[in-house]
Amino acid sequence: MSVPLGRSRSLPKDYPPPGPLGATDPTLWRLDSSSDGGRHVWHYARPTPATAYEAVWGDDPINVREREQNNEEKHALGLPLPVVPGLQNVDGDMKKAAQKGYDFYKRLQSDDGHWSGQYGGPMFLLPGIVIAMYVTKQPIPEEWKIEISRYLFNTQRHGGHDDQGWGIHTESKSSVFGTGLNYVVLRLLGVDAEHPMMVKARGTLHQLGGAGGIPSWGKFWLSILNVYEWKGVNPTPAELWLLPTWLPFHPHRWWIHTRNVYIPMGYLSGKGFKAELNPLLLSLRQELYPTPYESINWPSLRNHIAAVDLYSPHSAVADFLFGVLNIYEGYAPGFIRRRAVKKAYELVKMEDENTSYQTIGPVSKAMNMLCVWLEEGPDSEAFKMHVEKVRDFMYMSKEGMMMCGTNGSQLWDLAFMTQALVDTGLGAEEENAESTKKALEWLDKGQIRENPKWYHEAFRHSTKGAWGFSTKEQGYTVSDCTAEGLKSVMMLQDLPGMPQLVSKERMCDSIDLILSLQNPSGGFASYELIRGPEFLELLNPAEVFAKIMIEVAYPECSTACVTALNLFRKKYPDYRPAEIERAINATFDFIKDEQRADGSWYGSWGVCFTYATMFAVESLSLAGETYENSESVKKACDFLLSKQMDDGGWGESFKSCESRVYVHNVTSQVVNTAWAVLTLLHAHYPDPEPIKRGCRLIMERQQFDGSWKVESIMGVFNHNVTIEYPNFVFSWTIWALGKAAKVYGPSSS
C-alpha cells in the first residue's frame, strides 16, 4: 500500500515543502466537523483501505472521504479557494470591507454553524501522544507519521548552533524541552538519526547541554520511554491525594489543569513504569546525551534545568519539600503506595468519563490513555475510547499535522464572530441571515445542560448552564466562555426573525453559574473558584510555566462575566436583581483595582496589554464610563495611543506576556490593531483620526478575496506559551471595521 507523496501540481509555489518522510497529497484530506457536536476529525481519502489508518480514525459516518474537498478544508490546508466572480475593490469603504471579510469567512463556516480552526503553537503537546501511542504499541497511521514529521520539519528553527531545534512554542528560541522531546518524536516516527534535520537538532540539543537539563515534564516523558531514569525526577507522589481535603495544600485546591496532569503523573511514577527497551530506545539513550548514558549521575539532575528553559525557578520551599519527598520515595510503605495509586487511578477514570475521554487537555489526555492501557489493557473499552478520541486533537495544516491545545476552540471563535455581526449591524443583513441562524443553532446545541457524572467525587465545579471553550462533549465550565456564549445567544435572538432557541430558563442557569464563580475579590477565575492560598505558588514544580498552582482572578474573565450580567439584567430585570447588582459592582471594583499605573491591563490569555485593555474598557463602557468622564478609561486610551505605530496600526509581541512589560512587535498586526480600534470606539474617544488610521491599516492588509493573512500568534497561557487563534483575523477585524463604519459612516478617510 502506498501513500501519495510529493507535490501536487495545483499547490501554491510557496507551499511548505515535504518533510523527512515526504508529504501526503493535501487535496485528499477531508474534515468531519459537523456530524458530532463540532468535533474535528480529519480523514485521508486513501485510494486503498488500511487497518492502521482505520484503527485510529474509526468510522467515517458521513463519508467525507467520498465527497469533493470543500472550502473549509482548503483554507485550513492553505489551498486556494475557487474565485468568486464579480469581486470589487472596497475603495476605502469600511462597511464594504467588513462585509467582504464576512463574505469570505462565511465560506469557511461548518455545516453545523461553527468555525473550525487549528489551535496549535505549543511544541510540547505532540511528544506526549506519540510516546503514549508508541509505548502502548498502538499503530500510528502512515499519513500521521508523514505529516507530523513534516510539521516538525517546517517549524524547526534555523538559527545558530544553539537554535536549530524547537522551542516551547513555535515562535520561541530552541530549548531543551522542545528540542529533546520533538527529536524523540521524529525518531519514534521512523526518521533516521543521520537525516540532516536530525543532525542539526541533535547538535543544538548537545550545545544546550543535552537532555539531562530538560524540565520536569520532559524528564517524566523520557522516563516513561526508558531513556531517562526515574531517580532523576523529583516526585509528586499520588499519596498527596490521601491527605485530608481540609488541608490548604490538598491537590483538589490546585488549578484544574495542574491537578489533572499530576494525577496520572503520580500514578505512573508511583508504578515506576518504563517502556520495554529495544534497539531504537537504546540508541536514543546515546543520542540524547553528550556523555555516555551509563555514566550519568541521575539524582544530580533532579533540579538541573537548562538555563534556556528556566522561566519559573523552584522556590527554596519547593526544593526543600522535593528533598523530603525523595527521601520518602526510598522508604514509601507498599500498602500506602498501593492505596495512593488506586486513588489516583479512580480520579483518572472519573476525568475520562466526565469528558468522554477527551480530558481537559492534550497533556493529561496522553497520560490518562497510558494509565488506562497499563491498568485495564489494550482490549478494554476505556482504552479503545481513548484511542478514538486522540484524533480530536490532531489537526492538519499547510505545514503538516499538529496537536491542538484542546479539542478545538469552537465556542470561543463562534462567540466573538456572532457578537461582531450583531454589534456592527451585519447580522441583520438578509444575506447573512442563514449564517447567523446556523451559528445560533450551534450555540443552542453546545450549552451544557447538566453537571458531570462524577461531580463532587472528582472535585468539579458545576457545569449546568455552561458553555465550554470547545465542545459540549468536553464538558468543562469556563467562566468567560459561558459569559461569551450567553451574550452571543441574547444578541442573536434579538435579531429580527431569529428563532428563540435558548429559553429564559436556560439563560438563568447560565447566570446562576456565573454568579457561583465570583471570588471574594469581585474577580472571576477561569474554570472554578480560587480554592487554595497564594503561598501554594511556592510549590510550583513546573519550571517552564508561571502561576499554575491555583486559580487566579483574571481581568479578561471578569470583564466577560460582568458584560454578560449587564446585558442579561437589561433583558430580564426581574431575575435575581439584587445579587446581580452586587456582583456587577464588585466586578467593576476588581477591574479598576487591576488597572496598572500606566492605564493598561495585563492579559493572561491573549497578547497582551492590547487584549486585556480592550475587554476592560468594553465592560466599563457598559457602565457609562467614557474617555470624557472616566479617569480609568482616559488612561487606558492614552496608553494605547502611545503605542500606535507609524503605519497607523498596533503590534504587540508575545514577549509582553513573558516580561509583563509592553514589547512592540517588529511590525503592526491586524488583530492587535482591531483590539485597539475597538477599545477607542468603546471609550467614545473624541478624535476619529487614530481610529481611522487603524482601520486603513486593516483594510490595506485585506486580500482581494476578502480574507486576511494570519500574522504573529495572538494567544498565550501560563505567561510563557503562545497558542494560535487563526480565526481572530476575521472576527476582530470585521468587528473593528464594521463598528467604525457604524459610528463614523463608511469612509475611512
Side-chain angles (χ1 to χ4, degrees):
M1 189 277 313
S2 62
V3 177
L5 303 177
R7 300 176 71 83
S8 168
R9 293 179 182 178
S10 62
L11 297 184
K13 290 182 180 179
D14 61 349
Y15 203 76
L21 301 179
T24 62
D25 183 346
T27 66
L28 296 181
W29 285 96
R30 303 290 185 271
L31 176 63
D32 179 0
S33 62
S34 58
S35 68
D36 195 1
R39 289 177 60 200
H40 296 159
V41 179
W42 283 94
H43 295 270
Y44 192 72
R46 185 188 285 188
T48 56
T51 303
Y53 175 94
E54 295 300 337
V56 175
W57 260 286
D59 296 330
D60 175 10
I62 59 173
N63 297 319
V64 294
R65 282 176 290 173
E66 296 180 9
R67 60 162 170 76
E68 292 294 313
Q69 196 171 53
N70 63 28
N71 290 332
E72 180 184 17
E73 294 150 351
K74 288 177 180 176
H75 184 73
L77 295 161
L79 301 175
L81 272 61
V83 176
V84 175
L87 285 178
Q88 297 179 351
N89 289 318
V90 298
D91 296 325
D93 188 312
M94 295 185 291
K95 183 175 181 180
K96 287 182 179 178
Q99 181 61 62
K100 190 175 185 180
Y102 192 60
D103 285 342
F104 182 92
Y105 197 40
K106 277 190 298 188
R107 300 171 70 190
L108 312 182
Q109 191 174 20
S110 297
D111 290 342
D112 68 353
H114 82 284
W115 282 270
S116 60
Q118 66 191 54
Y119 188 51
M123 296 304 292
F124 56 89
L125 306 179
L126 268 172
I129 203 64
V130 172
I131 289 171
M133 293 179 79
Y134 182 85
V135 169
T136 60
K137 300 178 175 60
Q138 177 62 36
I140 302 176
E142 289 302 310
E143 290 85 357
W144 283 29
K145 293 179 182 179
I146 292 166
E147 290 298 338
I148 290 172
S149 62
R150 190 170 78 88
Y151 177 75
L152 292 176
F153 179 82
N154 285 315
T155 54
Q156 186 173 19
R157 294 182 61 83
H158 300 287
H161 293 307
D162 64 346
D163 193 19
Q164 298 187 60
W166 299 268
I168 192 171
H169 57 84
T170 52
E171 293 191 2
S172 65
K173 188 177 179 181
S174 298
S175 65
V176 177
F177 194 32
T179 302
L181 288 180
N182 286 299
Y183 181 93
V184 166
V185 167
L186 288 161
R187 293 290 282 123
L188 297 182
L189 295 178
V191 180
D192 191 273
E194 298 309 312
H195 188 283
M197 74 174 293
M198 304 298 282
V199 173
K200 291 177 182 178
R202 190 166 62 248
T204 289
L205 181 61
H206 289 189
Q207 185 81 14
L208 296 174
I214 202 166
S216 56
W217 286 21
K219 295 180 193 294
F220 168 84
W221 280 120
L222 296 184
S223 297
I224 290 291
L225 199 57
N226 210 350
V227 295
Y228 190 98
E229 296 297 321
W230 283 114
K231 291 181 293 184
V233 183
N234 279 317
T236 48
E239 280 87 333
L240 294 171
W241 285 96
L242 300 180
L243 297 171
T245 56
W246 52 262
L247 287 172
F249 51 84
H250 188 275
H252 89 277
R253 301 182 186 277
W254 299 356
W255 184 43
I256 200 162
H257 276 280
T258 301
R259 68 178 186 256
N260 274 314
V261 165
Y262 284 97
I263 290 168
M265 264 193 187
Y267 173 88
L268 292 164
S269 62
K271 290 269 191 179
F273 175 77
K274 293 182 177 184
E276 296 177 13
L277 279 175
N278 59 34
L280 175 57
L281 299 184
L282 287 169
S283 181
L284 276 171
R285 283 184 167 192
Q286 305 308 318
E287 295 167 36
L288 293 172
Y289 306 94
T291 56
Y293 189 86
E294 298 75 15
S295 68
I296 295 173
N297 178 359
W298 296 103
S300 71
L301 298 180
R302 289 170 184 160
N303 295 311
H304 171 56
I305 310 298
V308 71
D309 289 84
L310 190 58
Y311 179 70
S312 184
H314 293 168
S315 69
V317 174
D319 281 339
F320 171 77
L321 291 175
F322 280 136
V324 172
L325 290 172
N326 276 301
I327 294 171
Y328 170 79
E329 283 294 304
Y331 301 97
F335 74 97
I336 294 180
R337 175 55 52 91
R338 286 189 293 274
R339 277 186 61 209
V341 166
K342 181 182 178 183
K343 176 63 175 178
Y345 190 71
E346 288 172 357
L347 291 167
V348 165
K349 289 287 290 180
M350 290 178 195
E351 168 71 356
D352 288 348
E353 293 178 12
N354 280 342
T355 63
S356 299
Y357 297 85
Q358 300 276 5
T359 80
I360 195 169
V363 176
S364 57
K365 162 71 179 174
M367 293 178 183
N368 282 20
M369 176 175 161
L370 192 51
C371 293
V372 171
W373 175 79
L374 190 61
E375 187 77 18
E376 300 186 34
D379 296 325
S380 65
E381 189 61 29
F383 182 72
K384 291 176 182 177
M385 287 297 299
H386 258 298
V387 172
E388 180 187 334
K389 294 300 172 69
V390 168
R391 57 192 183 164
D392 294 49
F393 292 86
M394 310 305 291
Y395 207 87
M396 267 300 295
S397 71
K398 64 181 180 181
E399 288 85 12
M401 179 173 276
M402 68 189 72
M403 191 174 197
C404 292
T406 61
N407 61 328
S409 53
Q410 292 87 325
L411 179 282
W412 197 238
D413 288 325
L414 181 145
F416 291 131
M417 188 65 256
T418 52
Q419 291 174 47
L421 290 171
V422 178
D423 193 28
T424 60
L426 293 176
E429 300 287 343
E430 187 176 349
E431 61 190 295
N432 300 324
E434 181 183 354
S435 174
T436 52
K437 181 173 178 289
K438 284 167 58 178
L440 177 60
E441 289 169 350
W442 194 92
L443 286 164
D444 171 38
K445 295 173 184 174
Q447 188 184 25
I448 303 171
R449 307 285 294 278
E450 63 284 313
N451 287 321
K453 176 181 178 181
W454 304 105
Y455 176 24
H456 298 292
E457 299 91 337
F459 304 100
R460 288 283 300 274
H461 197 89
S462 172
T463 56
K464 185 180 180 182
W467 278 272
F469 180 74
S470 56
T471 61
K472 179 179 181 179
E473 179 183 65
Q474 196 255 7
Y476 264 98
T477 291
V478 187
S479 63
D480 52 358
C481 296
T482 299
E484 301 295 356
L486 176 61
K487 287 187 331 191
S488 297
V489 165
M490 290 189 288
M491 292 169 75
L492 286 170
Q493 292 190 170
D494 279 345
L495 290 175
M498 193 64 69
Q500 304 300 295
L501 301 181
V502 180
S503 66
K504 177 185 175 182
E505 180 184 1
R506 288 168 58 189
M507 293 186 205
C508 291
D509 288 340
S510 300
I511 291 297
D512 293 344
L513 183 62
I514 290 171
L515 291 172
S516 77
L517 286 163
Q518 189 168 36
N519 290 285
S521 68
F524 291 80
S526 52
Y527 292 87
E528 53 199 16
L529 290 165
I530 300 170
R531 297 177 176 180
E534 196 167 343
F535 74 73
L536 282 178
E537 292 297 342
L538 294 172
L539 308 184
N540 181 3
E543 306 82 2
V544 293
F545 310 121
K547 297 282 186 183
I548 66 163
M549 289 305 295
I550 61 170
E551 270 282 15
V552 176
Y554 299 101
E556 306 104 295
C557 296
S558 302
T559 56
C561 291
V562 77
T563 52
L565 291 169
N566 246 320
L567 192 62
F568 177 85
R569 73 169 173 177
K570 290 176 182 177
K571 191 175 181 67
Y572 300 110
D574 59 327
Y575 188 75
R576 300 182 69 176
E579 293 152 288
I580 290 175
E581 176 72 18
R582 283 195 298 271
I584 287 172
N585 291 337
T587 310
F588 280 136
D589 289 342
F590 169 81
I591 291 168
K592 289 187 175 182
D593 287 344
E594 288 293 302
Q595 188 175 25
R596 293 185 165 205
D598 63 7
S600 69
W601 282 265
Y602 175 82
S604 295
W605 303 103
V607 177
C608 168
F609 296 99
T610 323
Y611 178 76
T613 300
M614 175 196 64
F615 284 111
V617 171
E618 178 198 16
S619 63
L620 293 174
S621 73
L622 292 176
E625 297 197 29
T626 68
Y627 184 86
E628 297 290 356
N629 65 20
S630 168
E631 185 62 24
S632 291
V633 174
K634 184 179 186 301
K635 286 171 63 179
C637 293
D638 291 344
F639 169 82
L640 283 180
L641 289 167
S642 74
K643 307 303 180 186
Q644 191 169 23
M645 302 175 80
D646 291 341
D647 62 5
W650 281 261
E652 189 176 0
S653 167
F654 74 87
K655 292 287 185 182
S656 296
C657 307
E658 292 180 356
S659 65
R660 307 188 193 194
V661 176
Y662 190 100
V663 179
H664 278 289
N665 204 337
V666 176
T667 60
S668 59
Q669 306 289 301
V670 293
V671 175
N672 285 141
T673 301
W675 290 338
V677 164
L678 285 166
T679 304
L680 297 173
L681 289 168
H682 289 313
H684 298 279
Y685 184 71
D687 181 4
E689 184 51 29
I691 296 170
K692 289 192 172 185
R693 287 184 68 209
C695 289
R696 288 196 291 270
L697 184 281
I698 295 171
M699 293 168 71
E700 288 166 7
R701 300 272 178 90
Q702 189 175 29
Q703 305 299 298
F704 184 69
D705 62 7
S707 68
W708 285 269
K709 291 184 178 180
V710 175
E711 299 171 331
S712 297
I713 289 184
M714 287 289 109
V716 71
F717 62 92
N718 296 345
H719 302 280
N720 190 37
V721 188
T722 64
I723 196 158
E724 297 167 328
Y725 289 98
N727 287 325
F728 277 10
V729 299
F730 294 101
S731 54
W732 295 110
T733 52
I734 292 169
W735 199 339
L737 292 174
K739 190 174 181 69
K742 198 174 178 182
V743 173
Y744 299 118
S747 176
S748 62
S749 60

